[in-house]
Amino acid sequence: AKKICEEYGGHLVTITSATESLALINGLQAHELDHQVWIGYTDEKTEGQWEWITGEKSAYTNWQPGEPNDDKQKEDHAILTTRLSAFVKAKYRWYDWGGDDVMYFILERESEID
């Protein structure tokens, strides 16, 4: 997902405020997406130090309570959930995730306004 986003001139989505989160959630609901979605939050460089892949700084998070938990020993990437399941207790929260699971992702491109 990261490589595909870069090939299209963008990056995995970053969510640095409650306002951005709500706008994204509204868009996902409007498209009735029922899946997990990769976002651009990772602790791949240093375990436990989560950062946006763009280097943006933000204190905003929307983790499900108990997350991130590194449950599978190597969960270095965040997903946003859009459906309930055995492990997902609340929609539109973040979970740490590992592996190369096939999931949807959200491409974000920065726009320049003159």
Side-chain angles (χ1 to χ4, degrees), residues 74-90:
K74 191 76 174 140
E75 295 184 330
D76 291 334
H77 304 281
I79 61 171
L80 183 149
T81 61
T82 63
R83 67 175 166 171
L84 301 177
S85 71
F87 79 94
V88 173
K89 306 302 181 211

Side-chain angles (χ1 to χ4, degrees), residues 5-6 9-14 53-54 56 106-110:
C5 288
E6 290 169 353
H11 54 80
L12 286 167
V13 69
T14 59
I53 59 171
T54 58
E56 290 174 83
I106 301 171
L107 167 79
E108 179 177 351
R109 286 192 281 198
E110 305 300 325

Side-chain angles (χ1 to χ4, degrees), residues 1-16 20 24 37-42 51-58 77-78 104-112:
K2 180 180 182 289
K3 287 179 184 178
I4 292 170
C5 288
E6 290 169 353
E7 288 173 9
Y8 282 88
H11 54 80
L12 286 167
V13 69
T14 59
I15 308 165
T16 59
E20 282 184 340
L24 184 61
V37 178
W38 291 114
I39 62 175
Y41 209 38
T42 181
E51 61 186 0
W52 292 109
I53 59 171
T54 58
E56 290 174 83
K57 302 296 181 203
S58 171
H77 304 281
Y104 288 90
F105 60 90
I106 301 171
L107 167 79
E108 179 177 351
R109 286 192 281 198
E110 305 300 325
S111 63
E112 294 182 27

Side-chain angles (χ1 to χ4, degrees), residues 5-77:
C5 288
E6 290 169 353
E7 288 173 9
Y8 282 88
H11 54 80
L12 286 167
V13 69
T14 59
I15 308 165
T16 59
S17 71
T19 301
E20 282 184 340
S21 182
L22 184 59
L24 184 61
I25 289 167
N26 287 339
L28 292 169
Q29 288 173 334
H31 288 90
E32 298 179 0
L33 184 65
D34 186 28
H35 242 286
Q36 274 52 270
V37 178
W38 291 114
I39 62 175
Y41 209 38
T42 181
D43 73 343
E44 191 170 36
K45 289 182 186 173
T46 304
E47 185 61 37
Q49 292 183 12
W50 288 85
E51 61 186 0
W52 292 109
I53 59 171
T54 58
E56 290 174 83
K57 302 296 181 203
S58 171
Y60 177 79
T61 62
N62 192 24
W63 294 111
Q64 170 67 19
E67 297 286 339
N69 62 10
D70 216 22
D71 188 43
K72 294 187 178 19
Q73 306 298 324
K74 191 76 174 140
E75 295 184 330
D76 291 334
H77 304 281

